[in-house]
Amino acid sequence: MKIAILSAADVAGSYTATLMERGHEITIGPFGHAPSAVTGMIEDGIDGVLILTDDDDNLEEIAARFTRATGRPVWHNLTEIPR
């Protein structure tokens, strides 16, 4: 599964390692403003998004747009992601 990690802080490293050990392909953002970020994630074939902050409205907007556009999941916790 190809997963985009959206993180305002540099905390994605350990999450990336864990997900890669599980066989996932990872892309790390933020990816700019919401419309272009969502377009880029769709073009890159992202299967789901993991958000590692709960206080960044831009990241939440990107995730919400991604879900509306694709129907694909957005996770807020590593344990929610299928193995």
Side-chain angles (χ1 to χ4, degrees), residues 1-2 9 14 20 26 28 38 48 50 52 54 58 60 68:
M1 186 180 321
K2 193 169 186 179
S14 64
M20 289 178 73
I26 306 300
I28 299 175
V38 172
L50 173 63
L52 297 178
D54 56 359
N58 185 51
E60 290 291 344
R68 284 193 304 270

Side-chain angles (χ1 to χ4, degrees), residues 2-55:
K2 193 169 186 179
I3 298 171
I5 297 177
L6 301 181
S7 173
D10 187 22
V11 296
S14 64
Y15 290 87
T16 298
T18 299
L19 290 169
M20 289 178 73
E21 287 174 4
R22 294 181 183 178
H24 299 294
E25 186 178 336
I26 306 300
T27 301
I28 299 175
F31 301 101
H33 85 283
S36 61
V38 172
T39 299
M41 288 192 298
I42 292 169
E43 290 172 354
D44 288 345
I46 298 297
D47 297 307
V49 176
L50 173 63
I51 297 180
L52 297 178
T53 182
D54 56 359
D55 62 353

